[in-house]
Amino acid sequence: MSQFLIQTIVDTRARPASLLATSTFLDHALAASVDRTVRYLNPLTYEEESCGQGHARGITGLAVSECIQAQAPIICSSGRDGVLCLWAPRKAEVIRKMTPSCTEIKTLSVFQFGPICYIILGTKDGKVIIYDCATDSIIKTFLGHRSSVLCSSVVYRGKHVEGEPLVTRHIAIATGGKDRTVRVWDFDKGKRKRKLKHPKLVMCLAVARESLKPVLISGCSNGLLYLWDVALGVILQTFEGHQEKIYR
């Protein structure tokens, strides 16, 4: 298969985009930057269709929810100003702001189930915080990381039956960071289920749902990607090719 660059997107009005997000439930691709803006891009032409600013300082996190029993996905950003912004699904407009009581937010991911919306926050002091949008409050805090949490991922593992209530034990949360570990958490008990050690800083990760078994892939500052068997805590495959750090 031939591999080639399709298009380069350049916008001289802004600093480089450091965060990207998309979803099959969205009509746009999203880009965020330290210039404090979120930009909605046409997914075919990659032309900017709208641009909004909701943060007083640079944006540190951008995420779109996995849409389960919901009409539209939740789009959320975090900034160095300590603010969480929820964005409209079709236009770059802030529809709500929240200010969790925590240190600087380094990363976030969003879990949505009908009217339920949890934002998973990774902080500079190593905490993993579950923030409930409905009550505008922190409902759980996971402790274990010894340094900044740089990435997070959340999925609902297994098949959900339409009309059935949320089974929280099926929520799979993973976080990685400067302490060179990925930690997989038990949502109900707030305790670590698995600790996956890495040779370098963990810069990004994703949990993919495959039947009832989550599959995890992590990217390190050494330029390598690792595919993990979470249940056994072993590396299934290592992917090489990147010459520098792998970012979110």
Side-chain angles (χ1 to χ4, degrees):
M1 179 183 294
S2 298
Q3 298 180 357
F4 56 90
L5 180 65
I6 298 175
Q7 186 175 352
T8 300
I9 307 167
V10 179
D11 187 343
T12 56
R13 295 171 296 174
R15 296 182 184 180
S18 55
L19 297 160
L20 301 171
T22 188
S23 168
T24 55
F25 300 99
L26 283 179
D27 296 330
H28 301 86
L30 308 176
S33 172
V34 292
D35 70 354
R36 301 172 290 173
T37 64
V38 172
R39 298 167 186 265
Y40 285 39
L41 310 174
N42 185 298
L44 299 178
T45 65
Y46 297 100
E47 294 179 355
E48 180 184 307
E49 295 191 345
S50 62
C51 175
Q53 183 172 318
H55 295 278
R57 299 183 65 187
I59 296 174
T60 59
L62 178 66
V64 182
S65 67
E66 179 184 7
C67 220
I68 304 175
Q69 283 194 350
Q71 295 181 349
I74 298 294
I75 303 167
C76 185
S77 63
S78 62
R80 290 192 175 91
D81 54 2
V83 173
L84 296 175
C85 290
L86 298 185
W87 297 80
R90 299 187 181 278
K91 190 176 181 181
E93 292 180 345
V94 177
I95 56 177
R96 183 179 171 189
K97 289 189 177 184
M98 299 167 288
T99 308
S101 179
C102 61
T103 60
E104 181 181 330
I105 300 167
K106 305 295 287 186
T107 185
L108 81 159
S109 53
V110 184
F111 176 79
Q112 182 185 14
F113 185 96
I116 296 172
C117 178
Y118 297 143
I119 303 176
I120 292 80
L121 306 174
T123 65
K124 187 176 181 178
D125 61 357
K127 293 179 181 177
V128 178
I129 293 171
I130 312 299
Y131 191 83
D132 186 352
C133 288
T135 60
D136 201 9
S137 63
I138 295 171
I139 59 171
K140 295 178 184 289
T141 300
F142 302 161
L143 303 176
H145 282 287
R146 297 183 178 180
S147 189
S148 296
V149 180
L150 301 178
C151 50
S152 63
S153 183
V154 55
V155 297
Y156 192 80
R157 58 187 177 87
K159 184 179 180 181
H160 175 261
V161 179
E162 188 75 16
E164 291 292 322
L166 173 69
V167 181
T168 53
R169 68 174 180 272
H170 289 171
I171 299 176
I173 296 174
T175 56
K178 281 189 175 182
D179 61 0
R180 301 185 180 188
T181 68
V182 165
R183 296 167 191 254
V184 181
W185 303 92
D186 184 311
F187 183 89
D188 287 334
K189 297 179 180 179
K191 295 181 179 180
R192 188 191 77 207
K193 293 177 65 176
R194 180 68 68 180
K195 178 180 176 180
L196 310 175
K197 295 183 179 180
H198 289 65
K200 295 292 182 180
L201 277 63
V202 183
M203 307 295 292
C204 60
L205 62 85
V207 180
R209 186 176 63 219
E210 181 181 333
S211 184
L212 294 174
K213 181 181 179 181
V215 177
L216 186 146
I217 190 164
S218 57
C220 275
S221 58
N222 60 2
L224 298 179
L225 289 168
Y226 302 96
L227 180 67
W228 293 86
D229 183 316
V230 178
L232 297 178
V234 297
I235 297 173
L236 299 175
Q237 192 170 351
T238 301
F239 300 92
E240 302 179 357
H242 289 284
Q243 302 300 314
E244 298 290 343
K245 295 179 181 178
I246 301 173
Y247 292 94
R248 288 175 283 171

